[in-house]
Amino acid sequence: MALNTKEKELGSYIGKILRDHFGKGPGSVFAAISYPYVTVYIKDFLTPMENKLLDSEQEKYVQKIRDMLMETLIEEIKAYIKLNIDMEISEFYYDWNLSTHTGMFSGIAAGSQKNSSTYLNQLGVHNEIIEVSIKAEKAPVNVYSCLLNPRTLIVVRSGILTAIEKEIIKIGYPEILTLAKRNLEKGILDEHKNQLQSLLDADFENTFTSWDFDRDKSVFLFILKPHNP
């Protein structure tokens, strides 16, 4: 089966399970597959109940509900990818941008090495990401990235947690840490937006970030609008 067909079928599947679990599906879903990565970009996704909660400034409850539902959905998505794309996903990340009604899922295959593909100004992009990390916590031990297609860039960092962050996780407050890091890193990332866009020769349509605290890893997903498509 052609890769493009698999991407379309994965997008359709994600739209269906979101509709089944949330009662309303997204307006559109775009999947990208480039071993060992699978990414899904979700647009126009907000239920009427969530919209009312956001209107009453109850964003944390929307996030909480989605987190609870995702605990079930993640295993279903990983099972689908294993059966239909023949990739065993060991790492799964997700993030929501409620203000733009968008979201992302990112998976990394088990036992895989980092993708060695290169793209223009990749080192410069990595240096900007390292600067973001230094301002937010500390320099990562490793940074690697892959341009899955002209509109989808995934950046993976490992070894980014500070001693105090590890202690916060240890005493049972990972949700608070996630919230704080999401707000902090996205704010700092915005300070580097112009430089990153220049290096990538593209504007940002959306940016997402997520963490796996057990692995001390993090993913940035950039949805791009290339200047010269």
Side-chain angles (χ1 to χ4, degrees):
M1 187 183 297
L3 185 59
N4 190 49
T5 301
K6 290 183 178 181
E7 290 174 340
K8 288 180 179 178
E9 291 186 352
L10 176 58
S12 297
Y13 168 77
I14 295 296
K16 179 181 183 301
I17 64 168
L18 289 177
R19 183 169 59 253
D20 290 346
H21 285 76
F22 286 86
K24 178 187 181 298
S28 53
V29 180
F30 303 94
I33 304 169
S34 181
Y35 188 85
Y37 306 110
V38 176
T39 67
V40 178
Y41 177 40
I42 301 156
K43 299 182 70 173
D44 187 25
F45 181 57
L46 192 73
T47 69
M49 181 192 71
E50 291 175 333
N51 193 38
K52 289 182 180 179
L53 287 171
L54 291 179
D55 284 344
S56 4
E57 299 184 352
Q58 301 295 325
E59 179 176 334
K60 64 180 180 180
Y61 291 110
V62 176
Q63 292 280 10
K64 186 72 174 177
I65 292 168
R66 289 195 175 187
D67 285 344
M68 288 188 294
L69 287 171
M70 284 303 298
E71 289 179 11
T72 300
L73 286 182
I74 287 171
E75 294 308 314
E76 293 185 27
I77 295 168
K78 289 165 69 174
Y80 176 92
I81 292 172
K82 181 178 180 180
L83 180 63
N84 295 277
I85 305 175
D86 194 27
M87 288 174 62
E88 181 89 37
I89 299 298
S90 61
E91 300 175 40
F92 192 97
Y93 303 83
Y94 69 90
D95 185 25
W96 307 105
N97 189 336
L98 295 175
S99 63
T100 58
H101 305 177
T102 57
M104 76 87 175
F105 302 154
S106 295
I108 303 178
S112 62
Q113 300 297 315
K114 61 186 180 183
N115 191 309
S116 60
S117 64
T118 59
Y119 53 89
L120 187 64
N121 296 324
Q122 185 176 35
L123 182 59
V125 170
H126 288 184
N127 288 336
E128 289 296 315
I129 294 299
I130 290 169
E131 287 298 316
V132 170
S133 298
I134 289 171
K135 291 179 181 179
E137 50 265 317
K138 70 181 184 70
V141 173
N142 290 299
V143 177
Y144 48 97
S145 62
C146 180
L147 192 65
L148 280 68
N149 58 46
R151 289 179 49 84
T152 310
L153 173 67
I154 188 169
V155 181
V156 183
R157 300 172 295 163
S158 63
I160 58 170
L161 291 174
T162 64
I164 188 65
E165 289 174 332
K166 291 178 180 178
E167 190 62 25
I168 290 171
I169 295 164
K170 183 179 177 181
I171 62 177
Y173 294 100
E175 291 180 5
I176 293 174
L177 182 61
T178 297
L179 180 61
K181 287 173 73 67
R182 180 182 291 119
N183 293 339
L184 178 62
E185 287 200 351
K186 285 188 175 180
I188 297 172
L189 193 63
D190 197 53
E191 297 172 8
H192 291 254
K193 179 179 178 180
N194 290 340
Q195 183 62 21
L196 283 165
Q197 290 182 146
S198 176
L199 288 165
L200 293 164
D201 194 25
D203 293 330
F204 288 167
E205 177 176 318
N206 230 316
T207 60
F208 301 96
T209 184
S210 183
W211 298 265
D212 184 328
F213 291 142
D214 291 335
R215 288 184 170 87
D216 194 2
K217 294 181 71 174
S218 173
V219 159
F220 282 121
L221 188 70
F222 298 93
I223 306 301
L224 308 174
K225 294 189 290 186
H227 294 159
N228 298 295

